Amino acid sequence: MALLEVEDVVAGYGAGPDILTGLSVTIEEGTSYCIVGPNGAGKSTLLRAIAGFLKPRAGEVRLDGVLMNGSRPDQMLAAGICFVPQDASLFPMMTVRENLAMGGYLVNDRALLRQRMDMVYETFPILAERRGQNAGTLSGGEQQMVTLGRALMIEPRVVMIDEPSLGLAPMIADQIFEKIRGFGALGITVVLVEQNAVKGLENVDWGIVLDLGSKDFEGPADGILADPRIRELYLGKTMSKGMT
Ligand SMILES: Nc1ncnc2c1ncn2[C@@H]1O[C@H](COP(=O)(O)OP(=O)(O)O)[C@@H](O)[C@H]1O
Ligand SMILES: [Mg+2]
């Protein structure tokens, strides 16, 4: 059974039009995914619908085969579905350690909290060095690492990350992607959304192309990257925006 199943989901905002127009996506445990597609395709909306921030108007979101429609974000989080939104903000006047502790607010056991924090510091050694520093004083890349570290604090089954490379210099973005690739070894299933389609696909197993709120195409990421025709057809729109 798939870990997460999104089936024929229709979703939109308030009284507005349908943004997701009958979208189906399957997320298998241990496979990493990148969702790509032009601006406004509904990529962020899909993550919000899965994470419980947006209730589907129709269709189903299932976790381990269990219907989750209508679950609140905190319930999805407790079920191991962690969403790192594009504008995930830190508490700038709080230390790195305190920001990470916020991610572990569901953990009541102090020893376990300590253990998870050590695991985050092992994954992001720079954060161990900066643990006593206010998050607001960190570089953009380091702040993104705190955001990801905070997600790891709940030991999620799935982490969905919206535009992890946004606003970062290419070299820093590469470091972030390298860290995200390592999440698989921690038993975490990764779902990325990336405006930089090629970079995103280079760092995952499977690519899903969205357009106009539904799925255009999906397949092995290396296959998509290697096929010039598919690249032209499905990545052209995103690549023409100055992406490489
Ligand atoms: N909070 C919102 N309220 C109303 N419309 C929204 C909201 N967020 C996104 N939209 C609309 O939904 C569509 C898809 O947006 P989004 O999911 O953010 O696309 P993507 O992440 O693929 O760029 C866009 O037309 C956008 O204007
Ligand atoms: Mg988006």
Side-chain angles (χ1 to χ4, degrees):
M1 184 191 299
L3 203 175
L4 263 175
E5 292 157 295
V6 172
E7 193 178 338
D8 299 326
V9 162
V10 177
Y13 298 90
D18 293 342
I19 301 296
L20 304 182
T21 54
L23 178 60
S24 299
V25 169
T26 300
I27 305 297
E28 302 282 354
E29 186 139 41
T31 301
S32 56
Y33 298 81
C34 184
I35 300 167
V36 300
N39 227 336
K43 303 183 297 294
S44 299
T45 301
L46 169 61
L47 297 192
R48 286 184 202 121
I50 295 173
F53 287 91
L54 193 61
K55 194 172 152 52
R57 291 170 176 168
E60 298 194 345
V61 175
R62 292 189 299 269
L63 174 64
D64 297 323
V66 178
L67 191 65
M68 301 300 280
N69 299 34
S71 294
R72 297 187 313 261
D74 60 307
Q75 293 170 322
M76 293 306 287
L77 193 64
I81 311 301
C82 183
F83 174 40
V84 181
Q86 194 178 309
D87 54 1
S89 49
L90 299 172
F91 298 97
M93 302 300 279
M94 287 167 65
T95 65
V96 167
R97 189 195 310 110
E98 288 164 339
N99 271 280
L100 293 177
M102 288 297 190
Y105 78 99
L106 289 170
V107 183
N108 291 318
D109 182 332
R110 286 183 77 86
L112 185 60
L113 200 64
R114 178 80 254 162
Q115 192 185 316
R116 292 209 180 154
M117 215 172 272
D118 287 344
M119 179 267 291
V120 171
Y121 290 146
E122 220 169 277
T123 308
F124 300 105
I126 188 76
L127 297 187
E129 279 173 47
R130 303 262 192 269
R131 69 179 85 190
Q133 217 169 305
N134 281 356
T137 67
L138 304 184
S139 71
E142 288 165 354
Q143 291 197 25
Q144 182 65 286
M145 289 184 201
V146 177
T147 305
L148 296 175
R150 189 172 59 181
L152 294 185
M153 288 296 290
I154 70 154
E155 286 199 343
R157 292 180 68 195
V158 181
V159 59
M160 305 189 292
I161 315 170
D162 202 349
E163 309 274 7
S165 76
L166 200 75
L168 300 180
M171 235 175 67
I172 306 297
D174 284 342
Q175 289 172 15
I176 296 290
F177 282 124
E178 192 187 321
K179 296 295 182 187
I180 293 172
R181 274 208 316 272
F183 287 7
L186 299 170
I188 300 167
T189 299
V190 169
V191 181
L192 293 184
V193 161
E194 254 302 326
Q195 185 60 223
N196 187 338
V198 172
K199 260 283 171 277
L201 290 169
E202 279 172 355
N203 286 286
V204 298
D205 304 317
W206 194 262
I208 298 171
V209 186
L210 295 197
D211 199 7
L212 301 174
S214 71
K215 189 171 65 189
D216 248 17
F217 181 81
E218 66 178 311
D222 53 2
I224 296 178
L225 289 168
D227 188 326
R229 216 170 41 92
I230 296 179
R231 278 176 79 131
E232 165 87 18
L233 206 56
Y234 293 106
L235 307 185
K237 278 170 284 195
T238 39
M239 287 175 69
S240 63
K241 290 200 185 86
M243 308 293 170
T244 50

